[in-house]
Amino acid sequence: MRGRRVSMDPTTPNAMSTFRRPDRKQYYMNLALAVRERANCRGSRVGAVLVLEDRVISTGYNGVPQEMTNCEEGGCERCANRGAKFPSGTAYDICICVHAEQNALLTAARFGIGVQDAILYSTMKPCFGCAKELLQAHVREVYYLHEWTPKPELETEYKKILGAFERVERIDIHDQQAEWARGGERKLSA
């Protein structure tokens, strides 16, 4: 029986419960959430998935470049001194972390996988720089979970860049680790 599963809840033995199969957007966003689990930045934690012809072609999460000490271990000066030496939203020029969207693009390039006409699913709306890079790589659509807001002086140009994609849309699914993803503490499962 498609769309139905037997409940495994011990309080309702053998009860039938309706299982709602996720649509494609929810499915790919859930994959981006799983990819995000590998993020090692002490600031925001982001996962990204590039999809072409309904197949995952690349993934990325934010963190330091390969073979470098992770942020969580003090690898990035900016991340190690967030809030103290470097106020929020500053010193990106010295941050060594690579964004999730950049890592997805770079991984595809590294393995010779074309991304033209791909669709991006990211747990955060791409920042100004990532949006430009995605557009230049001819990524067609962007779906995201959490908002990213540019500085007021960049809003007009940011809207211009986003307007060049065929579609930019927020996907509304529950994120149990939303606080952790934004730099807070991870919730432990009960």
Side-chain angles (χ1 to χ4, degrees):
M1 220 176 344
R2 206 167 183 195
R4 309 271 294 165
R5 284 197 180 162
V6 176
S7 174
M8 301 310 267
D9 180 358
T11 61
T12 56
N14 300 322
M16 295 294 284
S17 64
T18 302
F19 170 74
R20 193 168 119 356
R21 185 177 182 204
D23 66 27
R24 293 194 189 285
K25 292 176 188 174
Q26 293 167 334
Y27 170 73
Y28 291 122
M29 187 58 72
N30 281 322
L31 290 176
L33 286 167
V35 170
R36 180 183 74 186
E37 292 294 315
R38 293 281 305 152
N40 63 51
C41 182
R42 293 180 70 194
S44 297
R45 294 164 182 100
V46 182
V49 174
L50 279 170
V51 175
L52 184 63
E53 295 180 12
D54 209 22
R55 297 292 180 258
V56 173
I57 59 169
S58 188
T59 66
Y61 54 86
N62 62 325
V64 300
Q66 196 171 347
E67 307 300 326
M68 294 188 75
T69 304
N70 286 332
C71 273
E72 294 169 342
E73 298 162 355
C76 177
E77 173 74 13
R78 180 185 177 271
C79 290
N81 293 289
R82 288 181 75 231
K85 187 174 177 183
F86 304 111
S88 180
T90 66
Y92 289 115
D93 54 333
I94 65 160
C95 181
I96 64 171
C97 292
V98 181
H99 289 191
E101 302 89 340
Q102 292 170 320
N103 267 325
L105 289 173
L106 293 167
T107 299
R110 180 177 169 199
F111 293 103
I113 301 168
V115 299
Q116 184 167 336
D117 294 326
I119 298 170
L120 175 83
Y121 293 85
S122 179
T123 59
M124 185 174 286
K125 192 174 190 178
C127 71
F128 190 86
C130 287
K132 288 189 302 184
E133 292 162 8
L134 292 163
L135 191 58
Q136 185 67 12
H138 292 251
V139 169
R140 184 168 43 101
E141 297 177 10
V142 174
Y143 296 94
Y144 65 93
L145 179 58
H146 298 294
E147 287 290 338
W148 179 84
T149 307
K151 293 177 181 179
E153 61 270 20
L154 295 177
E155 280 184 39
T156 302
E157 296 301 307
Y158 184 62
K159 285 179 184 176
K160 228 189 278 186
I161 292 166
L162 294 183
F165 289 99
E166 285 183 25
R167 173 173 287 155
V168 176
E169 181 181 309
R170 184 178 179 278
I171 295 178
D172 188 23
I173 63 172
H174 180 67
D175 181 1
Q176 291 181 325
Q177 297 294 338
E179 185 180 324
W180 169 77
R182 292 187 173 121
E185 294 297 317
R186 182 184 282 276
K187 289 182 186 177
L188 300 175
S189 300

